[in-house]
Amino acid sequence: MPEDAAKKPSRIQLRNRKKIMEAALNVFSQHGYRGATLDQIAEAAGMSKPNLIYYFDGKEAIHVAVLNRLMEDWLAPLHEMDPNGNPLDEILTYARRKMEMSRKFPKESRLFANEILQGAPRMAPHLETGLKPLFEEKAALIGRWIGQGRLAMVNPEQLILSIWAITQHYADFDAQIRVLIPDEATGWDEAFIHVEEMFRKLLSVSERSD
Amino acid sequence: MPEDAAKKPSRIQLRNRKKIMEAALNVFSQHGYRGATLDQIAEAAGMSKPNLIYYFDGKEAIHVAVLNRLMEDWLAPLHEMDPNGNPLDEILTYARRKMEMSRKFPKESRLFANEILQGAPRMAPHLETGLKPLFEEKAALIGRWIGQGRLAMVNPEQLILSIWAITQHYADFDAQIRVLIPDEATGWDEAFIHVEEMFRKLLSVSERSD
DNA sequence: GTTGTTTTTTACCATTTGGTAAAGGCACGA
DNA sequence: TCGTGCCTTTACCAAATGGTAAAAAACAAC
């Protein structure tokens, strides 16, 4: 059984685990956890249902595995926010990176959103240990920048939530946006511009008050 | 059969239909469409499963009924945006109303989000006929205000999307926010302040450029 | 009260679904 | 060529789930 993970996994194990997780990402993100079936995942992965169970302990184990891998990529842009950089640039770059993730990895965003919507039943620990410390660290950093007068006065925690809200909205509510703004290409362009201008205006230190 | 809706429904029909829809809102918003079961809804409504089917054509009919009633309340604040009011006030009031809805009706928000996340399979027509015309009307109105120099230059469509994104985020990602900002009371207060200041700053016409 | 209609319950059913058992297949070293 | 251990498939199963049939109960009109 490859479940142990104590020994090094063979090439075929790595390949099939990856195939399963890719298939699971597609199916889970489209139908949600309970809406997805093992048969769907098996078909998408090009293998039989019992074969999934051979590589993972069950449906929930697959879901958790996909979510955990997801979170790493998901937090990377926030990690990259550099205390030694220019505050405004750092935050705008972060927002831009999150927008890029929404455009390039909408399935990942929707899978995550789905899990949170349902109360994060399978991810609460990961939020506590992975997300929360990083969130607090970066909120403190932004707070320091504000204290130094290098950013406008904003609640740092609320600022981060705003960036998440807006950037993820473009992926998560894609179905709605496509109805309202049918032209996909210009929609994304305008979204990038809007988000950048919005946070630039919010964070720029007013020149008048010197 | 009360399904006809041609004749006037009896008092008992109205009462039970409402009980079912309330129960369904709770269950659907927590588990999603496929995650919810008729048995759960029946228990929450205090009646038997076949009794649900007596009042509604089936699971999907219940879901559609709940979503449709939802959309009316959901669009009301946007309807109230007054062409004759003060532009900044109108938009900030709208944003505040949406925040209030997120705080008071998070289940409604999550049910809606869940449906959109999954591609709006049961609501695409309602989006086209109900939401889209209103969206375009109000975007045009904001565009006129900007043309008159009464608001800062912003893409009106992107502005509306931003308001939706941020306000709904507080309801939809509640599980995440409660991990990051445990104190619920002050969290909401700060959220209200942040959202108001954010859009005020974005939309205020700069005094310097006169 | 009797009768006809609306509402509710009891007992089912067919399908779907997550999961298992156990028998093959297959690669690869001896 | 023959094991030996990893991988895959076939054939199932028990529980859950959306839905139905039909009888019983409640109710309303007379």
Side-chain angles (χ1 to χ4, degrees):
Chain A
M1 294 174 192
E3 331 278 5
D4 307 44
K7 305 291 175 197
K8 46 194 161 188
S10 72
R11 239 135 299 130
I12 201 166
Q13 274 174 38
L14 287 176
R15 178 173 54 84
N16 281 347
R17 275 235 177 86
K18 205 162 94 179
K19 266 209 304 190
I20 292 170
M21 287 175 70
E22 277 167 19
L25 170 64
N26 284 314
V27 177
F28 279 136
S29 68
Q30 195 177 354
H31 302 285
Y33 177 71
R34 288 212 52 189
T37 72
L38 286 182
D39 292 279
Q40 285 175 302
I41 298 172
E43 199 197 333
M47 61 183 74
S48 67
K49 182 168 61 175
N51 217 354
L52 297 189
I53 307 296
Y54 176 73
Y55 285 106
F56 288 91
D57 264 343
K59 187 183 182 183
E60 187 163 333
I62 299 176
H63 194 239
V64 170
V66 173
L67 278 174
N68 282 346
R69 192 172 60 84
L70 186 64
M71 280 298 280
E72 295 169 25
D73 306 336
W74 218 238
L75 295 183
L78 189 51
H79 265 295
E80 289 171 20
M81 203 159 94
D82 182 2
N84 299 315
N86 172 274
L88 186 58
D89 282 350
E90 289 298 322
I91 293 175
L92 292 182
T93 297
Y94 174 59
R96 200 179 321 118
R97 291 228 172 104
K98 283 238 79 183
M99 284 295 285
E100 275 158 12
M101 295 198 73
S102 275
R103 186 172 53 178
K104 284 187 190 162
F105 308 108
K107 285 177 294 192
E108 281 83 348
S109 184
R110 285 195 281 268
L111 178 61
F112 179 73
N114 222 306
E115 173 71 7
I116 301 294
L117 259 187
Q118 250 122 84
R122 281 165 279 277
M123 247 192 24
H126 211 301
L127 291 184
E128 278 286 350
T129 65
L131 181 60
K132 191 176 184 183
L134 188 59
F135 174 78
E136 288 173 346
E137 176 198 329
K138 297 306 181 184
L141 171 60
I142 294 171
R144 252 175 282 133
W145 281 337
I146 293 172
Q148 295 163 359
R150 302 168 77 191
L151 287 177
M153 289 259 281
V154 184
N155 184 315
E157 294 175 335
Q158 298 293 329
L159 170 66
I160 296 176
L161 291 190
S162 304
I163 295 174
W164 290 350
I166 292 186
T167 56
Q168 289 177 7
H169 186 86
Y170 286 101
D172 301 343
F173 283 70
D174 177 61
Q176 178 178 249
I177 295 174
R178 273 214 304 266
V179 170
L180 301 177
I181 306 175
D183 187 344
E184 198 169 336
T186 70
W188 275 107
D189 286 350
E190 286 165 3
F192 268 80
I193 294 169
H194 172 75
V195 171
E196 168 143 5
E197 284 308 305
M198 186 166 182
F199 286 107
R200 181 188 301 282
K201 220 165 183 174
L202 175 66
L203 294 171
S204 291
V205 176
S206 166
E207 304 290 343
R208 290 182 285 165
S209 58
D210 281 52
Chain B
M1 295 174 194
E3 331 278 7
D4 306 43
K7 303 293 174 198
K8 45 194 161 188
S10 72
R11 237 135 299 129
I12 201 168
Q13 274 173 38
L14 286 175
R15 179 174 53 83
N16 280 347
R17 275 235 179 85
K18 204 162 94 178
K19 265 208 307 190
I20 292 170
M21 285 175 69
E22 276 167 19
L25 170 64
N26 284 315
V27 177
F28 279 136
S29 69
Q30 196 178 352
H31 301 286
Y33 177 71
R34 288 214 49 191
T37 72
L38 287 182
D39 292 279
Q40 285 175 301
I41 297 172
E43 199 197 333
M47 60 183 74
S48 67
K49 181 169 60 176
N51 217 354
L52 296 189
I53 307 295
Y54 176 74
Y55 286 106
F56 288 91
D57 263 344
K59 188 183 181 183
E60 187 165 333
I62 299 176
H63 194 241
V64 170
V66 174
L67 278 175
N68 282 345
R69 191 171 63 84
L70 186 63
M71 280 300 280
E72 294 168 26
D73 307 335
W74 218 238
L75 295 183
L78 189 50
H79 265 296
E80 288 170 20
M81 202 158 97
D82 182 1
N84 299 317
N86 173 275
L88 186 58
D89 282 350
E90 289 298 321
I91 293 176
L92 291 182
T93 297
Y94 174 60
R96 202 180 320 116
R97 292 228 171 104
K98 282 238 80 182
M99 283 295 285
E100 276 159 12
M101 296 198 71
S102 274
R103 185 173 53 179
K104 284 187 189 161
F105 308 108
K107 284 177 295 193
E108 282 83 348
S109 184
R110 284 195 280 269
L111 178 61
F112 179 74
N114 221 306
E115 174 71 8
I116 301 293
L117 258 186
Q118 249 120 85
R122 281 165 280 276
M123 248 194 21
H126 210 302
L127 291 184
E128 279 284 352
T129 65
L131 180 61
K132 192 176 183 180
L134 187 60
F135 175 78
E136 287 173 347
E137 175 199 331
K138 298 307 181 185
L141 171 61
I142 294 171
R144 252 176 282 132
W145 281 337
I146 293 171
Q148 296 163 357
R150 302 167 76 191
L151 287 177
M153 289 260 280
V154 184
N155 183 317
E157 295 174 335
Q158 299 293 328
L159 170 66
I160 296 176
L161 291 190
S162 303
I163 295 174
W164 289 350
I166 291 185
T167 57
Q168 290 177 7
H169 186 86
Y170 286 101
D172 301 342
F173 283 70
D174 177 61
Q176 179 179 250
I177 294 174
R178 273 215 303 267
V179 170
L180 300 177
I181 306 175
D183 186 345
E184 199 168 334
T186 69
W188 275 107
D189 286 350
E190 286 165 3
F192 269 80
I193 295 170
H194 172 75
V195 170
E196 167 142 7
E197 283 309 305
M198 186 165 181
F199 287 108
R200 181 188 301 283
K201 220 165 185 176
L202 176 65
L203 295 171
S204 291
V205 176
S206 167
E207 304 289 343
R208 291 181 286 164
S209 58
D210 282 49

